[in-house]
């Protein structure tokens, strides 16, 4: 069985490499209504292997940062690449769960063994040298005042931490001192007006979305007090108009109703945009990002009950375009980052994927 599995994986990888080298007309401008070009698989730059890419971030200088699942942090500037690992630096761990950057040029990364910042030197924060209650920092967002917000909790303790660099102090939001329902912080997002949004996991059914406005007011959206349709939130983004969009890890159906997927919040009311409406994807959202045309790129996970595979889709607000059905392989995509007319995809099992398209 192991031999058959190895052969299967070899054939899949060979397919990927062949397609990325020959650049076949996979959803090209002539046959795709969104003008998306062939995709390219990148597994090596200047002799450095791009192995297990997991998290992506593009900073203000258009530098691509890749956090890997076991091979540290990579900085990619064109054909130049720098790699930081536990072997060649003081990196706390080689599994990078989150990346963001501040306006002072520092890149911040989160691991299960500490929070770090990097510019020319590496500084590590953990529970032994800071106010962090735990060592984990599994999601990160930096606001306009350079406050670092990161998840520092689990189902039993902790919550969302705010690190004020200027005053060098930290504040931890927990169920004991705030309205935040639990300490499982799956994603944190800062909207343009400075509002902080946290997407939560579930503890005893409690979860949902926690919001903290710039005036200090807090609010929680969940399935009991709103039409949010699932309390396990995987990711939060905002569109060009500032509207908040949330993705869940919900099953396709719950109590015989189409469930989970993606919702956007308008006037305190959630509107459903389920990927499963395409008939070909699940509602388990692993990554999403808006492009310059306002289209939402969405990666979804498998749904064994309905034989739904990993899919990459683009949603224009009315229709779902499932790219995996146009010679794009069915891959687990853990993150999506868009820089101008370039889409970057982190596919941990295969490599870094690059797709180009045209801005209107």
């Amino acid at each position: 069985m192991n031999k058959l599995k190895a052969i299967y994986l070899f054939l899949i990888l060979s397919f990927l490499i062949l397609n990325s080298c020959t650049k076949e007309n996979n959803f090209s401008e002539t046959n795709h209504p969104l003008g998306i070009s062939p995709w390219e698989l990148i597994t090596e730059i200047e002799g450095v292997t791009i192995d297990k890419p997991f998290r992506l971030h593009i900073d203000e200088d258009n530098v691509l940062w890749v956090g890997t699942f076991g091979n540290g942090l990579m900085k990619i500037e064109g054909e130049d690449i720098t790699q930081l690992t536990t072997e060649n630096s003081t990196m706390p761990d080689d599994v990078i769960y989150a990346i963001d950057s501040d306006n002072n040029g520092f890149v911040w990364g989160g691991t299960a063994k500490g929070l770090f910042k990097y510019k020319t030197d590496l500084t590590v924060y953990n529970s032994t040298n800071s106010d962090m209650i735990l060592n984990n920092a599994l999601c990160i967002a930096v606001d306009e005042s350079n406050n670092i917000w990161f998840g520092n909790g689990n189902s039993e303790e902790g919550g969302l931490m705010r690190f004020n660099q200027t005053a060098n102090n930290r504040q931890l939001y927990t169920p004991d001192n705030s309205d935040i329902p639990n300490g499982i912080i799956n994603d944190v997002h800062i909207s343009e007006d400075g509002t902080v949004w946290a997407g939560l996991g579930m503890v005893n059914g409690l979860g949902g979305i926690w919001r903290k406005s710039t005036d200090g007011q807090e609010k929680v959206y969940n399935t009991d007090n709103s039409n949010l349709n699932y309390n396990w939130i995987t990711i939060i983004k905002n569109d060009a108009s500032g509207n908040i969009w949330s993705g869940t890890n919900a099953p396709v159906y719950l109590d015989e109703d189409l469930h989970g997927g993606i919702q956007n919040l308008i006037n305190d009311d959630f509107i459903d945009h389920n990927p499963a409406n395409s008939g070909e994807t699940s509602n388990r959202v692993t990554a999403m990002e808006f492009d310059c045309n306002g289209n939402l790129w969405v990666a979804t996970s498998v749904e064994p009950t309905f034989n739904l595979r990993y899919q990459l889709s683009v949603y224009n607000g009315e229709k779902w375009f499932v790219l995996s059905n146009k010679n794009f392989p069915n891959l687990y995509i853990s993150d999506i980052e868009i820089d101008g007319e370039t889409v970057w995809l982190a596919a941990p099992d295969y490599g870094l994927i690059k797709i180009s398209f045209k801005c209107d």
Side-chain angles (χ1 to χ4, degrees), residues 53-358:
F54 186 61
R55 290 289 180 254
L56 305 174
H57 173 66
I58 296 173
D59 64 20
E60 292 182 351
D61 297 322
N62 293 322
V63 174
L64 175 63
W65 296 84
V66 180
T68 71
F69 202 84
N71 294 292
L73 179 70
M74 295 182 175
K75 177 183 180 183
I76 300 175
E77 298 180 88
E79 293 299 317
D80 295 327
I81 184 168
T82 302
Q83 184 175 18
L84 296 176
T85 68
T86 54
E87 293 185 356
N88 65 11
S89 71
T90 58
M91 184 73 69
D93 195 16
D94 285 327
V95 177
I96 312 298
Y97 286 99
I99 315 172
D100 204 351
S101 57
D102 62 28
N103 54 32
N104 290 324
F106 285 96
V107 168
W108 293 80
T111 75
K113 298 180 180 179
L115 174 76
F116 67 86
K117 71 174 181 178
Y118 173 72
K119 191 172 186 179
T120 55
D121 297 314
L122 197 66
T123 303
V124 177
Y125 304 90
N126 54 42
S127 59
T128 63
N129 66 5
S130 73
D131 296 330
M132 291 173 62
I133 190 171
L134 301 169
N135 286 328
N136 64 23
L138 306 185
C139 59
I140 296 174
V142 182
D143 66 25
E144 287 298 315
S145 299
N146 274 344
N147 294 308
I148 314 302
W149 297 79
F150 62 96
N152 187 220
N154 56 31
S155 61
E156 299 178 351
E157 58 183 332
L160 182 64
M161 181 78 80
R162 179 182 67 90
F163 174 29
N164 184 326
Q165 295 187 71
T166 304
N168 193 29
N169 62 38
R170 295 165 180 79
Q171 181 175 1
L172 181 66
Y173 295 86
T174 73
D176 293 331
N177 63 16
S178 74
D179 293 337
I180 205 163
N182 65 64
I184 303 178
I185 314 297
N186 291 328
D187 193 27
V188 57
H189 176 77
I190 315 293
S191 52
E192 290 187 3
D193 63 0
T195 301
V196 179
W197 304 81
L200 304 170
M202 285 192 291
V203 178
N204 298 322
L206 298 177
I209 297 173
W210 177 79
R211 183 189 75 186
K212 182 178 183 297
S213 304
T214 54
D215 60 3
Q217 296 296 310
E218 300 178 48
K219 182 169 183 175
V220 175
Y221 298 92
N222 56 43
T223 56
D224 292 330
N225 65 14
S226 72
N227 61 345
L228 186 72
N229 61 26
Y230 199 60
N231 282 337
W232 187 283
I233 307 298
T234 55
I235 188 167
I236 298 176
K237 297 287 183 180
N238 66 259
D239 59 25
S241 298
N243 298 313
I244 289 295
W245 293 65
S246 64
T248 73
N249 187 33
V252 172
Y253 286 92
L254 192 66
D255 298 329
E256 298 183 353
D257 293 324
L258 191 63
H259 197 67
I262 294 171
Q263 292 181 294
N264 74 309
L265 181 62
I266 299 179
N267 297 325
D268 252 16
D269 192 25
F270 287 94
I271 300 172
D272 291 337
H273 302 271
N274 290 300
N277 283 333
S278 68
E280 301 164 283
T281 71
S282 78
N283 279 336
R284 299 183 183 274
V285 180
T286 61
M288 64 184 190
E289 188 64 82
F290 284 95
D291 65 22
C292 53
N293 295 322
N295 296 318
L296 182 62
W297 293 67
V298 179
T300 51
S301 186
V302 296
E303 184 69 68
T305 304
F306 299 97
N307 196 30
L308 297 173
R309 302 174 293 175
Y310 295 114
Q311 299 282 14
L312 175 66
S313 305
V314 179
Y315 180 55
N316 67 1
E318 297 179 357
K319 182 179 179 180
W320 289 90
F321 299 86
V322 183
L323 303 188
S324 300
N325 292 338
K326 295 182 179 294
N327 296 325
F328 187 84
N330 294 283
L331 302 175
Y332 165 49
I333 295 170
S334 56
D335 207 1
I336 302 173
E337 186 76 319
I338 299 179
D339 180 22
E341 296 182 337
T342 301
V343 178
W344 296 97
L345 308 174
D349 297 331
Y350 300 98
L352 189 62
I353 295 175
K354 179 181 179 181
I355 300 174
S356 297
F357 68 100
K358 293 296 183 182

